[in-house]
PDB file of all heavy atoms in Angstrom:
ATOM      1  N   GLY Z  95      98.469  76.970  90.984  1.00  0.00           N
ATOM      2  CA  GLY Z  95      99.040  75.714  91.468  1.00  0.00           C
ATOM      3  C   GLY Z  95      98.640  74.528  90.609  1.00  0.00           C
ATOM      4  O   GLY Z  95      99.432  73.622  90.371  1.00  0.00           O
ATOM      5  N   GLN Z  96      97.393  74.520  90.122  1.00  0.00           N
ATOM      6  CA  GLN Z  96      96.936  73.448  89.243  1.00  0.00           C
ATOM      7  C   GLN Z  96      97.722  73.431  87.939  1.00  0.00           C
ATOM      8  O   GLN Z  96      98.089  72.378  87.438  1.00  0.00           O
ATOM      9  CB  GLN Z  96      95.437  73.589  88.948  1.00  0.00           C
ATOM     10  CG  GLN Z  96      94.540  73.175  90.079  1.00  0.00           C
ATOM     11  CD  GLN Z  96      94.639  71.682  90.366  1.00  0.00           C
ATOM     12  OE1 GLN Z  96      94.794  70.875  89.456  1.00  0.00           O
ATOM     13  NE2 GLN Z  96      94.558  71.326  91.632  1.00  0.00           N
ATOM     14  N   GLN Z  97      97.992  74.611  87.389  1.00  0.00           N
ATOM     15  CA  GLN Z  97      98.763  74.694  86.150  1.00  0.00           C
ATOM     16  C   GLN Z  97     100.181  74.197  86.365  1.00  0.00           C
ATOM     17  O   GLN Z  97     100.749  73.527  85.517  1.00  0.00           O
ATOM     18  CB  GLN Z  97      98.785  76.129  85.625  1.00  0.00           C
ATOM     19  CG  GLN Z  97      97.456  76.631  85.129  1.00  0.00           C
ATOM     20  CD  GLN Z  97      97.507  78.104  84.773  1.00  0.00           C
ATOM     21  OE1 GLN Z  97      98.492  78.791  85.012  1.00  0.00           O
ATOM     22  NE2 GLN Z  97      96.421  78.603  84.198  1.00  0.00           N
ATOM     23  N   LEU Z  98     100.760  74.539  87.498  1.00  0.00           N
ATOM     24  CA  LEU Z  98     102.138  74.142  87.768  1.00  0.00           C
ATOM     25  C   LEU Z  98     102.270  72.635  87.996  1.00  0.00           C
ATOM     26  O   LEU Z  98     103.272  72.033  87.610  1.00  0.00           O
ATOM     27  CB  LEU Z  98     102.688  74.884  88.986  1.00  0.00           C
ATOM     28  CG  LEU Z  98     103.151  76.312  88.749  1.00  0.00           C
ATOM     29  CD1 LEU Z  98     103.547  76.971  90.061  1.00  0.00           C
ATOM     30  CD2 LEU Z  98     104.301  76.355  87.778  1.00  0.00           C
ATOM     31  N   THR Z  99     101.297  72.035  88.624  1.00  0.00           N
ATOM     32  CA  THR Z  99     101.415  70.603  88.923  1.00  0.00           C
ATOM     33  C   THR Z  99     101.356  69.738  87.675  1.00  0.00           C
ATOM     34  O   THR Z  99     101.797  68.593  87.699  1.00  0.00           O
ATOM     35  CB  THR Z  99     100.322  70.144  89.908  1.00  0.00           C
ATOM     36  OG1 THR Z  99      99.040  70.469  89.366  1.00  0.00           O
ATOM     37  CG2 THR Z  99     100.508  70.781  91.256  1.00  0.00           C
ATOM     38  N   ASN Z 100     100.819  70.256  86.591  1.00  0.00           N
ATOM     39  CA  ASN Z 100     100.750  69.499  85.340  1.00  0.00           C
ATOM     40  C   ASN Z 100     102.060  69.559  84.547  1.00  0.00           C
ATOM     41  O   ASN Z 100     102.197  68.850  83.562  1.00  0.00           O
ATOM     42  CB  ASN Z 100      99.600  70.007  84.465  1.00  0.00           C
ATOM     43  CG  ASN Z 100      98.252  69.762  85.121  1.00  0.00           C
ATOM     44  OD1 ASN Z 100      98.105  68.823  85.904  1.00  0.00           O
ATOM     45  ND2 ASN Z 100      97.287  70.596  84.828  1.00  0.00           N
ATOM     46  N   LEU Z 101     102.990  70.409  84.950  1.00  0.00           N
ATOM     47  CA  LEU Z 101     104.267  70.558  84.247  1.00  0.00           C
ATOM     48  C   LEU Z 101     105.307  69.586  84.806  1.00  0.00           C
ATOM     49  O   LEU Z 101     105.202  69.158  85.954  1.00  0.00           O
ATOM     50  CB  LEU Z 101     104.788  71.995  84.400  1.00  0.00           C
ATOM     51  CG  LEU Z 101     103.951  73.096  83.779  1.00  0.00           C
ATOM     52  CD1 LEU Z 101     104.529  74.461  84.150  1.00  0.00           C
ATOM     53  CD2 LEU Z 101     103.894  72.954  82.269  1.00  0.00           C
ATOM     54  N   PRO Z 102     106.329  69.284  84.013  1.00  0.00           N
ATOM     55  CA  PRO Z 102     107.437  68.477  84.544  1.00  0.00           C
ATOM     56  C   PRO Z 102     108.165  69.226  85.668  1.00  0.00           C
ATOM     57  O   PRO Z 102     108.121  70.463  85.745  1.00  0.00           O
ATOM     58  CB  PRO Z 102     108.365  68.294  83.340  1.00  0.00           C
ATOM     59  CG  PRO Z 102     107.562  68.637  82.144  1.00  0.00           C
ATOM     60  CD  PRO Z 102     106.474  69.555  82.590  1.00  0.00           C
ATOM     61  N   LEU Z 103     108.838  68.483  86.524  1.00  0.00           N
ATOM     62  CA  LEU Z 103     109.497  69.060  87.705  1.00  0.00           C
ATOM     63  C   LEU Z 103     110.476  70.167  87.337  1.00  0.00           C
ATOM     64  O   LEU Z 103     110.511  71.216  87.989  1.00  0.00           O
ATOM     65  CB  LEU Z 103     110.214  67.966  88.495  1.00  0.00           C
ATOM     66  CG  LEU Z 103     110.972  68.433  89.735  1.00  0.00           C
ATOM     67  CD1 LEU Z 103     109.983  69.018  90.742  1.00  0.00           C
ATOM     68  CD2 LEU Z 103     111.755  67.306  90.351  1.00  0.00           C
ATOM     69  N   ARG Z 104     111.258  69.959  86.298  1.00  0.00           N
ATOM     70  CA  ARG Z 104     112.254  70.962  85.896  1.00  0.00           C
ATOM     71  C   ARG Z 104     111.588  72.297  85.539  1.00  0.00           C
ATOM     72  O   ARG Z 104     112.062  73.364  85.922  1.00  0.00           O
ATOM     73  CB  ARG Z 104     113.078  70.429  84.741  1.00  0.00           C
ATOM     74  CG  ARG Z 104     114.214  71.327  84.381  1.00  0.00           C
ATOM     75  CD  ARG Z 104     115.051  70.728  83.257  1.00  0.00           C
ATOM     76  NE  ARG Z 104     116.385  71.257  83.370  1.00  0.00           N
ATOM     77  CZ  ARG Z 104     117.468  70.533  83.474  1.00  0.00           C
ATOM     78  NH1 ARG Z 104     117.395  69.231  83.468  1.00  0.00           N
ATOM     79  NH2 ARG Z 104     118.632  71.111  83.575  1.00  0.00           N
ATOM     80  N   GLN Z 105     110.475  72.253  84.810  1.00  0.00           N
ATOM     81  CA  GLN Z 105     109.760  73.477  84.455  1.00  0.00           C
ATOM     82  C   GLN Z 105     109.080  74.103  85.681  1.00  0.00           C
ATOM     83  O   GLN Z 105     109.000  75.323  85.794  1.00  0.00           O
ATOM     84  CB  GLN Z 105     108.728  73.198  83.365  1.00  0.00           C
ATOM     85  CG  GLN Z 105     109.342  73.006  81.998  1.00  0.00           C
ATOM     86  CD  GLN Z 105     108.277  72.798  80.934  1.00  0.00           C
ATOM     87  OE1 GLN Z 105     107.152  72.393  81.242  1.00  0.00           O
ATOM     88  NE2 GLN Z 105     108.640  73.065  79.689  1.00  0.00           N
ATOM     89  N   GLN Z 106     108.597  73.275  86.582  1.00  0.00           N
ATOM     90  CA  GLN Z 106     108.007  73.795  87.814  1.00  0.00           C
ATOM     91  C   GLN Z 106     109.041  74.592  88.598  1.00  0.00           C
ATOM     92  O   GLN Z 106     108.773  75.705  89.058  1.00  0.00           O
ATOM     93  CB  GLN Z 106     107.476  72.657  88.684  1.00  0.00           C
ATOM     94  CG  GLN Z 106     106.232  71.988  88.191  1.00  0.00           C
ATOM     95  CD  GLN Z 106     105.779  70.879  89.130  1.00  0.00           C
ATOM     96  OE1 GLN Z 106     106.110  70.870  90.307  1.00  0.00           O
ATOM     97  NE2 GLN Z 106     105.006  69.936  88.594  1.00  0.00           N
ATOM     98  N   LEU Z 107     110.228  74.010  88.760  1.00  0.00           N
ATOM     99  CA  LEU Z 107     111.300  74.698  89.492  1.00  0.00           C
ATOM    100  C   LEU Z 107     111.729  75.967  88.770  1.00  0.00           C
ATOM    101  O   LEU Z 107     111.939  77.008  89.402  1.00  0.00           O
ATOM    102  CB  LEU Z 107     112.489  73.763  89.691  1.00  0.00           C
ATOM    103  CG  LEU Z 107     112.266  72.601  90.652  1.00  0.00           C
ATOM    104  CD1 LEU Z 107     113.457  71.654  90.628  1.00  0.00           C
ATOM    105  CD2 LEU Z 107     112.009  73.114  92.047  1.00  0.00           C
ATOM    106  N   SER Z 108     111.858  75.881  87.457  1.00  0.00           N
ATOM    107  CA  SER Z 108     112.279  77.043  86.680  1.00  0.00           C
ATOM    108  C   SER Z 108     111.290  78.197  86.830  1.00  0.00           C
ATOM    109  O   SER Z 108     111.683  79.338  87.090  1.00  0.00           O
ATOM    110  CB  SER Z 108     112.420  76.655  85.210  1.00  0.00           C
ATOM    111  OG  SER Z 108     112.700  77.785  84.422  1.00  0.00           O
ATOM    112  N   ARG Z 109     110.010  77.904  86.673  1.00  0.00           N
ATOM    113  CA  ARG Z 109     108.990  78.955  86.819  1.00  0.00           C
ATOM    114  C   ARG Z 109     108.940  79.486  88.250  1.00  0.00           C
ATOM    115  O   ARG Z 109     108.773  80.683  88.473  1.00  0.00           O
ATOM    116  CB  ARG Z 109     107.620  78.435  86.416  1.00  0.00           C
ATOM    117  CG  ARG Z 109     107.467  78.303  84.939  1.00  0.00           C
ATOM    118  CD  ARG Z 109     106.038  78.016  84.578  1.00  0.00           C
ATOM    119  NE  ARG Z 109     105.911  77.829  83.148  1.00  0.00           N
ATOM    120  CZ  ARG Z 109     104.764  77.616  82.538  1.00  0.00           C
ATOM    121  NH1 ARG Z 109     103.643  77.567  83.236  1.00  0.00           N
ATOM    122  NH2 ARG Z 109     104.731  77.457  81.239  1.00  0.00           N
ATOM    123  N   GLY Z 110     109.041  78.600  89.200  1.00  0.00           N
ATOM    124  CA  GLY Z 110     109.010  79.029  90.602  1.00  0.00           C
ATOM    125  C   GLY Z 110     110.167  79.947  90.948  1.00  0.00           C
ATOM    126  O   GLY Z 110     109.974  81.003  91.552  1.00  0.00           O
ATOM    127  N   PHE Z 111     111.383  79.564  90.546  1.00  0.00           N
ATOM    128  CA  PHE Z 111     112.546  80.407  90.846  1.00  0.00           C
ATOM    129  C   PHE Z 111     112.494  81.737  90.090  1.00  0.00           C
ATOM    130  O   PHE Z 111     112.871  82.780  90.618  1.00  0.00           O
ATOM    131  CB  PHE Z 111     113.847  79.673  90.538  1.00  0.00           C
ATOM    132  CG  PHE Z 111     114.206  78.625  91.559  1.00  0.00           C
ATOM    133  CD1 PHE Z 111     114.614  77.365  91.165  1.00  0.00           C
ATOM    134  CD2 PHE Z 111     114.121  78.897  92.915  1.00  0.00           C
ATOM    135  CE1 PHE Z 111     114.939  76.399  92.104  1.00  0.00           C
ATOM    136  CE2 PHE Z 111     114.438  77.941  93.863  1.00  0.00           C
ATOM    137  CZ  PHE Z 111     114.849  76.687  93.463  1.00  0.00           C
TER     138      PHE Z 111
END
Side-chain angles (χ1 to χ4, degrees):
Q96 284 294 324
Q97 292 173 353
L98 281 175
T99 56
N100 295 332
L101 296 174
L103 179 63
R104 187 178 206 124
Q105 285 183 337
Q106 288 180 23
L107 291 173
S108 174
R109 285 190 183 183
F111 285 134

